[in-house]
Amino acid sequence: MVAPTASGSNCSQWMFNPLPGTTRSRRYAPASPHTAWTIDDLDAAHARAVAAGDRSLWTPRDTPEPGLRIAFVADPDGNLVELLSSDEEAE
């Protein structure tokens, strides 16, 4: 799903189905089911999520891929949310 944001940019969302037998109390591991959002201002989005009650799992940071930054939060129900920002212009 791609949806416009208030600033006119696009926000992309990818939904992954939970694996059978997973619970909210599980530990997060690579390839954990999650939702990913590509946003313009990673630091502000992370701060808003935490202020709204999400738990910060990874503060905003650079990735090995140049120009790509990432953060992770868990919502109050324990759902994993990935936040991404990129220096590249949207195509």
Side-chain angles (χ1 to χ4, degrees):
M1 174 177 116
V2 177
T5 63
S7 66
S9 63
N10 286 332
C11 176
S12 301
Q13 177 186 29
W14 297 271
M15 299 288 291
F16 297 90
N17 292 326
L19 297 173
T22 60
T23 66
R24 292 187 311 189
S25 62
R26 66 174 160 63
R27 292 187 182 267
Y28 298 107
S32 290
H34 67 287
T35 301
W37 293 91
T38 303
I39 44 88
D40 294 328
D41 188 339
L42 180 64
D43 296 304
H46 181 267
R48 282 193 310 271
V50 171
D54 288 355
R55 184 169 44 103
S56 178
L57 301 175
W58 276 16
T59 57
R61 62 190 68 192
D62 294 333
T63 69
E65 185 175 333
L68 185 65
R69 298 186 69 224
I70 190 170
F72 281 93
V73 296
D75 73 12
D77 291 325
N79 298 302
L80 183 61
V81 179
E82 178 180 2
L83 304 172
L84 298 162
S85 68
S86 175
D87 290 343
E88 295 182 15
E89 293 292 320
E91 295 181 19

